[in-house]
Amino acid sequence: MHFDVAGDDFYLDLLFFHIEQLRYVVIELKTGKFQPEHAGKLGFYVSLVDDRLRREAHAPTVGILICGDRNDHTVRYALGRSGSPMAVSTYTYDSLPPSEKNALPDADELAAALGWEGEAQGSHD
């Protein structure tokens, strides 16, 4: 989703609307380990959605950051003063059943498809 902020372009990775909870859900995706600045970017996107899309009848927007790895202590400090509901989660192929793993591309294939060659183990902003 694209937002123009006084001439600056910003693109949310994923934006959903939860019908039962009447709230927007902003999802930011990172391939590498969680960094504190990721929380700032997610908070920026949550504020942007609240300002531009959220209506009075809607519940507060939720921000979820999904990354390859995290240090729970770093996450706690990064989100400690946030006034918005935000969470950080990790992803892994390891817990998937073998049939599901075989149906999905691996990290190198995804990085190549997205033009991120050599970044499969790094981070992407």
Side-chain angles (χ1 to χ4, degrees), residues 2-3 10 12-13 21 24 50 62 64 68 72 78 80 84 86-87 90 92 97-98 101 106 109 114 120:
H2 172 256
F3 285 97
F10 296 95
L12 279 67
D13 289 333
Q21 293 184 3
Y24 286 97
D50 273 349
V62 171
I64 300 172
D72 290 336
S84 300
M86 295 193 299
T90 57
T92 179
K101 284 184 191 178
D106 65 23
E109 291 171 321
L114 295 170

Side-chain angles (χ1 to χ4, degrees), residues 7 12 17 24-25 27 38 40 43 56-57 60-61 63 69-70 77 87 89 91-92 94 96 107 119 121-122:
L12 279 67
F17 188 80
Y24 286 97
V25 179
I27 299 180
H38 297 161
E56 191 173 315
T61 300
D69 193 17
R70 71 172 188 241
Y77 287 124
S89 181
Y91 60 88
T92 179
D94 298 337
L96 292 173
E119 294 186 39
Q121 298 301 317

Side-chain angles (χ1 to χ4, degrees), residues 3 6-7 12 27 29 34-36 38 41-42 44 53 62-63 69 71 74 83 90 105 108 111 115-116:
F3 285 97
L12 279 67
I27 299 180
L29 305 170
F34 173 81
Q35 298 297 317
H38 297 161
K41 189 172 188 181
L42 180 61
F44 172 80
L53 302 176
V62 171
D69 193 17
N71 176 316
T74 303
T90 57
D108 291 331
W116 301 346

Side-chain angles (χ1 to χ4, degrees), residues 36-50:
E37 55 267 25
H38 297 161
K41 189 172 188 181
L42 180 61
F44 172 80
Y45 287 151
V46 167
S47 294
L48 189 57
V49 168
D50 273 349

